[in-house]
Amino acid sequence: MVVCMVSITILGMLYRAILFAFRRKKYSVFVSHHKAAAAVYARHVKILLEEYSCSNNGVPFLDVDELDNLENLSYAVSCSQRFLLLLTDRVFSRPWCAIEIAAAHQRKVPMIVAQLNDDRALCDTHSLRAVIEAFGPTDRMVFSQNGVSQEQLEQAYLFVGALVPCRLPLNDAGSTRIQACLQFILSKDFTNNSRNDKQDASLCASIIFDSNDDVDCSIAQVCSTLLRRRDVDTIICNSEAVRRNIRGDESMLHVGLVLISKGLTADPYALGSITMMQREKGAHREKNMGIIRKIAPGAMTEEIAEALKPIFRILAWEFKIEQNWLLVQEQFKVLVHRLTRAGVSSPTSQCRPEGSLHRRPSYRLVTEAWTAVWSNRATRA
């Protein structure tokens, strides 16, 4: 009798455990976005969500990483604890985004709207109804196949339009407003898993990019996060970071990662950082020389041009963070290999003063210590 009671108790516990496992949401946040306008931002957001969410509460859903689940996005939405809509101009006009929004509303998944950077997308009642009316017969057939009626879509859109968006300034590295928005999105599951401890870092990389381009800002921050996960110390050389790290005639780092794009040579902060690290060896305006010389004292036009030459001679690969995560990881392995090899092969990397392992030394960069990647809008200058 006792054995039977114990067996029944154990079976009951197993049943409850299995039931809990099935009821548990698979994804922490479903990230809905318009691919053409926000694919890079969506990757950046997923990386941030991973950094600031509890690891035992599921992973963020990003369609490009879940190729096996694309045939039933509505089910993926229902398996998510939260639904995050990245607000861009045409997100409401995309049929599959509409299906995701309707699915979240029908299944009562908590919905959050994020306003990216300084973008302003129209989501008033009149604009949303106009978008719904503009869907064609093919779109409505897709809606019908996925169990979404026009009435349900209108209800979902008006519900989303009434939500107050949280501002997510992805172009502002290290902003407390980013953490505030993530805390709002994740609620009680918010935690800080980011690796800011630099004591174990054996390599330090400067990430230089066009700080006026929001997409390049996101790519730079994703690179920084992935490098820190591999115990590489990083500095994102946007305007604020450069000002905070000016140290007279000292260079900031001993390896450089440059995101080459059309606007790079017009960014005085990028030019100043490149010149600062390449003193031995122009597409800019005279009014920017003051900023450049604050970063690299005494910089001359000829010196800037010389500093840029080795950067534009390097072409290793295209690094597209909006691709499937497996491809991103493979490309990133090459990037880390190049950076590590550059740091080891640089003559100055052997000159570290005793006891200076955990502080930023004054290293001069040589050509071999540069690594460059081309962003999507890059052009050979």
Side-chain angles (χ1 to χ4, degrees), residues 74-274:
S74 298
Y75 177 73
V77 171
S78 67
C79 291
S80 303
Q81 298 175 42
R82 301 169 189 84
F83 180 88
L84 175 63
L85 178 66
L86 303 186
L87 199 58
T88 51
D89 281 338
R90 298 185 60 192
V91 68
F92 291 108
S93 65
R94 310 311 300 164
W96 286 107
C97 293
I99 290 170
E100 294 166 3
I101 293 169
H105 184 256
Q106 289 175 35
R107 290 161 177 78
K108 295 181 170 39
V109 179
M111 303 176 75
I112 306 106
V113 177
Q115 175 190 317
L116 302 177
N117 303 322
D118 299 317
D119 293 342
R120 294 285 189 276
L122 294 176
C123 52
D124 57 276
T125 301
H126 176 75
S127 300
L128 293 176
R129 282 181 170 150
V131 169
I132 294 172
E133 291 297 327
F135 283 121
T138 304
D139 299 326
R140 297 184 189 281
M141 183 180 298
V142 174
F143 296 156
S144 178
Q145 291 170 349
N146 285 271
V148 178
S149 67
Q150 182 167 338
E151 181 182 358
Q152 291 171 327
L153 184 59
E154 183 173 345
Q155 290 175 353
Y157 271 29
L158 295 182
F159 177 82
V160 170
L163 296 175
V164 178
C166 66
R167 183 162 179 255
L168 190 55
L170 298 176
N171 56 2
D172 189 0
S175 172
T176 56
R177 290 177 297 177
I178 292 180
Q179 288 194 26
C181 186
L182 293 171
Q183 191 165 10
F184 176 74
I185 294 168
L186 294 167
S187 185
K188 59 182 176 59
D189 294 329
F190 177 85
T191 186
N192 192 343
N193 303 314
S194 59
R195 303 186 61 175
N196 294 317
D197 186 1
K198 302 175 182 178
Q199 292 186 351
D200 296 329
S202 59
L203 188 66
C204 190
S206 165
I207 302 177
I208 301 173
F209 60 100
D210 178 10
S211 60
N212 297 311
D213 188 291
D214 289 347
V215 171
D216 280 356
C217 286
S218 282
I219 296 173
Q221 292 180 69
V222 169
C223 286
S224 176
T225 300
L226 297 181
L227 285 170
R228 283 189 283 106
R229 288 179 181 178
R230 296 192 176 228
D231 296 323
V232 177
D233 187 8
T234 63
I235 290 182
I236 298 177
C237 293
N238 61 355
S239 56
E240 297 303 319
V242 171
R243 289 195 192 102
R244 287 196 297 266
N245 288 281
I246 294 174
R247 298 192 176 193
D249 288 332
E250 292 183 309
S251 68
M252 293 179 290
L253 317 151
H254 72 273
V255 290
L257 171 61
V258 183
L259 306 182
I260 298 180
S261 60
K262 293 178 181 178
L264 181 70
T265 57
D267 186 344
Y269 300 105
L271 293 177
S273 300
I274 291 171

Side-chain angles (χ1 to χ4, degrees), residues 2-131:
V2 174
V3 175
C4 289
M5 292 297 294
V6 171
S7 299
I8 292 172
T9 303
I10 293 174
L11 288 173
M13 293 173 63
L14 287 172
Y15 174 76
R16 285 194 295 270
I18 293 170
L19 189 64
F20 175 78
F22 275 100
R23 285 182 176 177
R24 189 175 180 179
K25 298 286 188 176
K26 182 179 179 180
Y27 303 109
S28 58
V29 181
F30 186 103
V31 182
S32 180
H33 66 287
H34 175 206
K35 185 175 181 179
V40 169
Y41 300 140
R43 170 65 65 198
H44 188 184
V45 168
K46 182 178 180 180
I47 292 286
L48 287 171
L49 291 171
E50 291 172 344
E51 292 285 293
Y52 289 95
S53 62
C54 299
S55 58
N56 60 345
N57 284 331
V59 297
F61 179 96
L62 187 59
D63 55 4
V64 72
D65 296 337
E66 303 285 345
L67 300 179
D68 294 337
N69 294 322
L70 294 184
E71 293 183 358
N72 197 347
L73 288 174
S74 298
Y75 177 73
V77 171
S78 67
C79 291
S80 303
Q81 298 175 42
R82 301 169 189 84
F83 180 88
L84 175 63
L85 178 66
L86 303 186
L87 199 58
T88 51
D89 281 338
R90 298 185 60 192
V91 68
F92 291 108
S93 65
R94 310 311 300 164
W96 286 107
C97 293
I99 290 170
E100 294 166 3
I101 293 169
H105 184 256
Q106 289 175 35
R107 290 161 177 78
K108 295 181 170 39
V109 179
M111 303 176 75
I112 306 106
V113 177
Q115 175 190 317
L116 302 177
N117 303 322
D118 299 317
D119 293 342
R120 294 285 189 276
L122 294 176
C123 52
D124 57 276
T125 301
H126 176 75
S127 300
L128 293 176
R129 282 181 170 150
V131 169

Side-chain angles (χ1 to χ4, degrees), residues 306-362:
E306 288 298 317
L308 286 169
K309 284 182 181 179
I311 303 303
F312 285 93
R313 281 203 299 264
I314 301 172
L315 176 58
W317 67 93
E318 286 188 340
F319 183 53
K320 296 182 178 180
I321 65 172
E322 66 271 31
Q323 296 181 113
N324 178 271
W325 183 238
L326 294 177
L327 295 175
V328 174
Q329 287 179 306
E330 287 302 314
Q331 292 181 342
F332 196 74
K333 286 179 183 178
V334 180
L335 187 151
V336 172
H337 173 71
R338 289 288 298 265
L339 284 176
T340 305
R341 186 178 64 184
V344 172
S345 65
S346 170
T348 56
S349 65
Q350 309 301 324
C351 304
R352 179 174 295 165
E354 185 178 356
S356 66
L357 180 63
H358 303 320
R359 69 181 180 86
R360 245 175 236 116
S362 174

